[in-house]
Amino acid sequence: MGMRQESGTRAPAGWAALGMTVVLWSSFALSTRGIGGSSLTIVDAAILRFVTPVVLLAPLLPSTIQAVRRERPQVLALLLVGGLPHFLVFAFGAHLTSAALTGMLVPGTVPLFVTLLAMARGRTPMPPRRLAALGLIGAGVGMSGFLVGGGVSLGGVGLLLVGGFAWAVFTTGLQRTSLTLLQMVLTVCTVSSVAVLVLMISGAMPSHLLAGAAEPGDVLALTALQGIGTGLMSTLCYAFSVKALGSSRASVGGAVSPVLTAVVAVPVFGEQIGVGLAVALALIVTGVATFNRVGPYSVDDASRLEPEAIVRGGDALLVVGDAHDRGPARGFLGQDLAGALPAGGVEPGGRLVQEQDLRTLDDALSQ
């Protein structure tokens, strides 16, 4: 009972953290869309996005290097797709489309691509309601094809879809990594920063920062919105909201963020929410909300599952922003799951190597 009461007292803080997360996710889409109208180039925005978390998390670098040495190379490769590759695709897609589509297509299509990747490995059960949710998302994506024109290109829509796929690949890496949340952020940002510096110094991509043509105000704004806001704060806020509210409630942020982005884009960029955009937005938002509320196993099935099956169920997880959640093990982040079980109960691959009583999970979820 005491645990339940403590959980209840954390709810207001959890909702506040979730609200901040939604704002930060929207600010990422809006600020990325606005790069073309600033004195910064895409590569300038990238270096500010990735270097800032590296500087802020520098004290963790020695322990992170040790942890990375123990990580499997294929898992690191999956994680790094969510760094510079995702950012560049997202940024170029945003430049060729609208802020509303930018904020809608990438987070909206992540659950679709994550599920398709999991199905390709033959490891994801598919309840009817989840199929319906994916159908809504697919219909919304199809509707976006009718929005081509008025400053929106088919190529831009395609790039945003590639961005959603890249984030889904990153998601699969999060399922398998033994790195903690901050170690993961520091690893991805450090490697991405080195890659961006190579692009800048080699001249492969133009940089106004190196040329001294960047406006100080633009530099400060991008550093705050993307380096600190997206790179670090959105990750921590979403992680806290999942712990305080559970994944089902916290996942509403993935549905609310595109709506906020579309609404704010009207006064900021002069965009209009036409009938086509409204329908596409409604379909994708409804699909994401429904998807997040349907786990691959029903509540009644949970009592018949072995702990190993619960962890495997995380194949259907959804990642938006820089945070992750492990599907049916509601309320768990990667490091939370490891901490909730007795020592030695989890190995880097996320597979239980000891038989554990399911009451351990129940107790942890109630905290």
Side-chain angles (χ1 to χ4, degrees), residues 334-358:
Q335 67 272 26
D336 299 326
L337 180 58
L341 296 171
V346 178
E347 65 179 15
R351 178 176 60 84
L352 292 179
V353 293
Q354 291 179 324
E355 290 296 323
Q356 305 291 350
D357 192 321
L358 287 179

Side-chain angles (χ1 to χ4, degrees), residues 79-142:
L79 291 175
L80 293 178
V81 171
L84 183 61
H86 171 265
F87 181 88
L88 292 179
V89 171
F90 187 93
F92 282 114
H95 179 70
L96 296 173
T97 60
S98 64
L101 281 177
T102 300
M104 177 177 65
L105 286 180
V106 175
T109 56
V110 168
L112 176 62
F113 289 126
V114 166
T115 302
L116 291 177
L117 288 172
M119 289 178 65
R121 303 200 318 273
R123 298 180 58 188
T124 300
M126 191 60 59
R129 287 183 63 189
R130 174 155 284 172
L131 280 174
L134 294 178
L136 289 172
I137 294 173
V141 172

Side-chain angles (χ1 to χ4, degrees), residues 190-265:
T190 299
V191 176
S192 297
S193 296
V194 173
V196 174
L197 286 174
V198 171
L199 292 175
M200 295 174 69
I201 295 174
S202 66
M205 295 184 69
S207 170
H208 291 172
L209 276 175
L210 288 183
E215 295 288 340
D218 292 338
V219 174
L220 291 176
L222 261 293
T223 299
L225 290 174
Q226 298 216 8
I228 299 176
T230 303
L232 194 59
M233 292 304 298
S234 68
T235 304
L236 300 179
C237 287
Y238 186 70
F240 180 82
S241 67
V242 169
K243 292 187 68 175
L245 303 174
S247 63
S248 181
R249 293 179 182 177
S251 63
V252 71
V256 174
S257 177
V259 177
L260 178 61
T261 302
V263 171
V264 175

Side-chain angles (χ1 to χ4, degrees), residues 9 25 82 84-85 114 120 159 182 196 203-204 210 225 238 241 246 248 269 283 298 300-301 308 318 321 332 337:
T9 61
W25 286 345
L84 183 61
V114 166
L159 284 174
L182 291 180
V196 174
L210 288 183
L225 290 174
Y238 186 70
S241 67
S248 181
F269 297 110
L283 288 171
S298 68
D300 293 336
D301 291 335
E308 184 176 279
L318 165 64
F332 280 103
L337 180 58

